[in-house]
Amino acid sequence: MAAMDVFLDRLDPDMCVVTAAAGGERAGCLVGFSSQCSIRPVRYVVWISDVNHTLRVARSADVLAVHLLARGRRETAELFGGRSGDDVDKFRRVRWREAYGGAAVLEDAEAWFVGRVVERAEGGDHVGFVLEPVEWGGRENGAGDPVLRLSEARTIRPGHPVD
């Protein structure tokens, strides 16, 4: 076990699905690395693996949509985390709608926002997209179900190898 695993193994972040649309193409993937990164102005960063089809679309996108899934939406997590957009049109298998800037918003998300891309940052084997929220929605007053966390998604086999 690597020394850093002592720290990393204790983390259990919320998982999210990030969707991108650009040049007539849509893509989306399950993301485990994301966080609010500024209070004023509000900014949020999502990190997308450099092996994902979604990254190729996101690089050209002006906006991205970030979705929190309820634990009961594991099939959506498996679709976006376990299937590659190189092989399957994920959006034919979910309810979605077009939102601000052409973003693809998943209808069954617990909460979501569309963010304008304000910065891109290389970060090892992921690219970070710093987002300025411009539209959002979801279940009101936190009345929704608990969201899917990394510990509950570990068994999803990635659509692309991570090594």
Side-chain angles (χ1 to χ4, degrees):
M1 177 189 295
M4 190 64 184
D5 289 344
V6 171
F7 181 87
L8 296 176
D9 286 348
R10 293 177 182 261
L11 300 178
D12 195 15
D14 296 337
M15 300 298 290
C16 57
V17 171
V18 176
T19 59
E25 189 173 9
R26 287 183 306 274
C29 63
L30 187 64
V31 169
F33 305 149
S34 70
S35 176
Q36 183 174 346
C37 59
S38 175
I39 297 170
R40 287 189 194 94
V42 174
R43 297 289 187 266
Y44 197 87
V45 64
V46 294
W47 294 90
I48 301 175
S49 171
D50 60 12
V51 299
N52 281 352
H53 172 79
T54 303
L55 180 63
R56 294 189 295 276
V57 178
R59 284 189 188 277
S60 299
D62 295 325
V63 296
L64 301 178
V66 180
H67 311 80
L68 294 176
L69 300 178
R71 290 178 183 159
R73 295 282 174 199
R74 184 173 170 88
E75 70 283 351
T76 303
E78 288 175 347
L79 174 64
F80 282 91
R83 303 295 301 267
S84 170
D86 291 326
D87 304 323
V88 65
D89 180 355
K90 299 173 190 181
F91 295 90
R92 293 186 70 150
R93 298 170 186 218
V94 294
R95 293 182 328 120
W96 68 278
R97 66 177 177 81
E98 191 171 304
Y100 179 93
V105 170
L106 305 180
E107 293 284 335
D108 295 326
E110 281 297 298
W112 59 269
F113 78 92
V114 174
R116 186 176 60 81
V117 178
V118 295
E119 188 175 337
R120 292 171 177 86
E122 298 293 325
D125 60 0
H126 284 65
V127 175
F129 292 80
V130 178
L131 305 174
E132 171 190 23
V134 293
E135 184 181 13
W136 46 87
R139 310 247 189 296
E140 298 281 328
N141 303 324
D145 293 331
V147 297
L148 183 71
R149 301 187 65 98
L150 176 62
S151 61
E152 298 154 339
R154 286 191 193 275
T155 58
I156 297 173
R157 187 171 174 218
H160 278 287
V162 293
D163 294 328

